[in-house]
Amino acid sequence: MVWTREEIAARAARELVDGSYVNLGVGIPTLIPAFVSPDSAVVLHSENGILGVGLHPFEGDEDPNLINASKETVTVNPGASYFDSATSFGMIRGGRISTAVLGAMQVSARGDIANWTVPGQVVKGIGGAMDLVSGASRVIALMSHQTKDGRSKFVEACDLPLTGRRCVNLIITDLAVMDVTDGELWLRELAPGVTLRDVQAATTACYRIRPEICSLVAA
């Protein structure tokens, strides 16, 4: 069994440190607010100018003027604030946003990330990912482990245009949780029912396996 998009988002929410300021990119990261505890002090940032993003609104309660960077309608939590793009990117470039959670097309064994374009396809907007991966102290990538046609998104070296070099700290896919430590890719958790063989078959990049995974498999 593999994790669904919602389960990937829920797993990512467990990685957010209480009191941290966290930017959510487009795609799976936008599902994270539903899994952040109401008691948590995590503050969610949207680069179009919101600090304090809340849950998606109930049907009929949407405010078309209140949207996130993905153009999805959102709600805000008590104490939320609004600002212009210059201020928002000032926060990002100034290192005020501690964690960036974003989608990825490829991640390399060294933590390089490609997530903004495929050569030959029309790009409607680059977005702020390049600023986020260079400004945040922790970068979490969420993605499917393979493309729709079965190619691994974990590669030894990205062949798509890079968003950032050696900046990804943690990757959560539908199969596994992997982190990058000192330039090496490590497998540290398997989705329920997923085997080491499944991950091996779906991964092109070289990676190492955390001892705790070996212990679980051997048990």
Side-chain angles (χ1 to χ4, degrees), residues 166-180:
R166 299 194 175 197
C167 55
V168 176
N169 305 104
L170 176 70
I171 311 102
I172 303 174
T173 76
D174 48 348
L175 298 184
V177 178
M178 305 181 89
D179 50 18
V180 183

Side-chain angles (χ1 to χ4, degrees), residues 86-183:
T87 303
S88 184
F89 277 83
M91 294 177 182
I92 295 168
R93 293 170 185 170
R96 304 299 183 184
I97 303 300
S98 58
T99 303
V101 188
L102 66 175
M105 296 174 181
Q106 286 182 334
V107 176
S108 81
R110 299 174 303 179
D112 302 334
I113 182 171
N115 82 338
W116 67 282
T117 189
V118 175
Q121 293 189 4
V122 174
V123 179
K124 295 182 178 179
I126 294 176
M130 294 174 186
D131 294 278
L132 285 161
V133 299
S134 60
S137 56
R138 190 178 190 214
V139 175
I140 302 174
L142 310 183
M143 63 183 189
S144 58
H145 211 98
Q146 295 175 289
T147 63
K148 292 180 179 177
D149 58 1
R151 288 175 295 163
S152 178
K153 292 186 176 182
F154 277 107
V155 292
E156 199 58 30
C158 297
D159 56 15
L160 296 177
L162 287 185
T163 305
R165 293 184 186 277
R166 299 194 175 197
C167 55
V168 176
N169 305 104
L170 176 70
I171 311 102
I172 303 174
T173 76
D174 48 348
L175 298 184
V177 178
M178 305 181 89
D179 50 18
V180 183
T181 304
D182 297 329

Side-chain angles (χ1 to χ4, degrees), residues 49-72:
I50 305 174
L51 196 60
V53 175
L55 298 168
H56 287 289
F58 292 114
E59 186 175 354
D61 290 339
E62 301 93 341
D63 179 348
N65 294 312
L66 191 56
I67 59 173
N68 62 18
S70 301
K71 308 295 190 293
E72 300 168 334

